[in-house]
Amino acid sequence: MINLLKSQPAPDCLEAEKAKKNGSYSCGDVLERLRADFHNKCYICEARGITNINVEHFIPHKGDKNLKFDWNNLFYACGHCNNTKLAQAKYDDILNCLDSTKKILDLIKFHINPFPKEKVQITTLQKNTTIENTALLLHDVYNGSTPHKIIESENLRELLIQEIRDFGDLLHGYFYEIGLSDEDKEAIKNRIKRKLSIASPFTAFKIWIIKNNEALKQAFGSLLD
Ligand SMILES: [Zn+2]
């Protein structure tokens, strides 16, 4: 989970659908706009190109039409994460990735050792119920909470570990590949930059790899802003 920005203004159709008896919040270009704003990633797990898209109401609408059709309350999630979040009432109170005043990566640390069968480690950096709930949700999402979801999360971690390995290869290449010209190094640095962008999958983990290592921070810290 990382901070994101939502495009404004809201799609026109939402107001019109809200006025109807059985209106739909997936009207017009809502889904395309969500896909673009969330960079085609689930906002919770950061898997990219998800095949099971859920439009999530960040604050459950419970029949409230204002919440149901509020553009700022519609989030792009995968079925696995949406389901995990719905399973526990406390997950209604989590950090909002669209709130730029709460920097998620200053509040929660993301880590996985990039080896088979490793689990995700989520650490809170401040004591606060909302932050702790977010960390628990992320822990459940990445490591599984029911027999069904344990298998789903194992598949998710396989994608995550592959992405971290690819990222590690780039970092190794940058420092240790023999005979690189300045141009070659710049090209690798550009690829590292793309891997750290919000559009890349599992960015939170990759940013934390940089944040956690002084030499990497010196070389690539400027790419994090
Ligand atoms: Zn997800």
Side-chain angles (χ1 to χ4, degrees):
M1 188 185 284
I2 52 168
N3 289 90
L4 296 168
L5 277 175
K6 197 102 174 262
S7 61
Q8 302 294 344
D12 293 335
C13 67
L14 285 171
E15 271 304 310
E17 289 297 311
K18 187 167 132 182
K20 293 180 186 169
K21 190 165 180 278
N22 286 312
S24 165
Y25 52 79
S26 302
C27 55
D29 59 352
V30 165
L31 286 175
E32 282 303 327
R33 290 268 303 270
L34 285 175
R35 177 161 78 161
D37 287 353
F38 287 85
H39 303 278
N40 203 17
K41 300 198 298 186
C42 166
Y43 86 96
I44 300 176
C45 72
E46 281 200 277
R48 200 166 184 279
I50 48 182
T51 53
N52 185 4
I53 299 162
N54 284 217
V55 177
E56 182 190 295
H57 289 88
F58 183 71
I59 304 169
H61 62 79
K62 295 174 181 159
D64 179 324
K65 275 201 155 188
N66 289 324
L67 283 173
K68 191 173 176 183
F69 292 93
D70 178 3
W71 173 235
N72 294 317
N73 196 33
L74 300 182
F75 283 49
Y76 198 75
C78 75
H80 170 72
C81 290
N82 187 232
N83 242 285
T84 305
K85 183 169 180 266
L86 287 173
Q88 296 215 44
K90 68 180 173 196
Y91 294 154
D92 289 351
D93 175 22
I94 61 164
L95 290 168
N96 182 339
C97 66
L98 301 180
D99 177 358
S100 58
T101 66
K102 303 254 167 51
K103 300 282 179 214
I104 293 165
L105 298 187
D106 291 341
L107 303 170
I108 296 176
K109 184 176 162 186
F110 295 71
H111 179 74
I112 188 163
N113 291 321
F115 307 113
K117 307 294 176 190
E118 287 285 349
K119 296 277 174 65
V120 164
Q121 295 158 35
I122 301 287
T123 315
T124 55
L125 304 175
Q126 265 182 40
K127 254 192 124 38
N128 162 291
T129 308
T130 307
I131 298 169
E132 279 156 14
N133 285 344
T134 311
L136 285 172
L137 170 63
L138 289 164
H139 180 274
D140 279 358
V141 153
Y142 288 118
N143 298 319
S145 50
T146 64
H148 223 91
K149 289 196 174 65
I150 284 170
I151 294 174
E152 289 177 1
S153 67
E154 207 172 320
N155 292 336
L156 179 62
R157 288 200 306 283
E158 221 175 289
L159 295 174
L160 166 61
I161 287 171
Q162 191 52 55
E163 181 64 22
I164 300 303
R165 291 182 64 188
D166 292 348
F167 185 58
D169 286 347
L170 283 176
L171 296 175
H172 279 276
Y174 182 86
F175 286 106
Y176 302 127
E177 213 170 299
I178 294 163
L180 288 182
S181 65
D182 286 350
E183 244 175 31
D184 294 335
K185 276 200 131 179
E186 207 43 44
I188 298 179
K189 193 169 180 176
N190 269 325
R191 290 178 66 195
I192 290 170
K193 184 180 177 181
R194 286 203 295 276
K195 289 275 186 203
L196 292 169
S197 77
I198 54 174
S200 187
F202 310 115
T203 308
F205 291 84
K206 291 179 286 185
I207 289 179
W208 262 106
I209 288 171
I210 306 295
K211 273 163 76 97
N212 244 348
N213 177 308
E214 275 312 313
L216 294 181
K217 218 157 56 181
Q218 238 174 30
F220 309 115
S222 63
L223 306 179
L224 301 183
D225 306 321

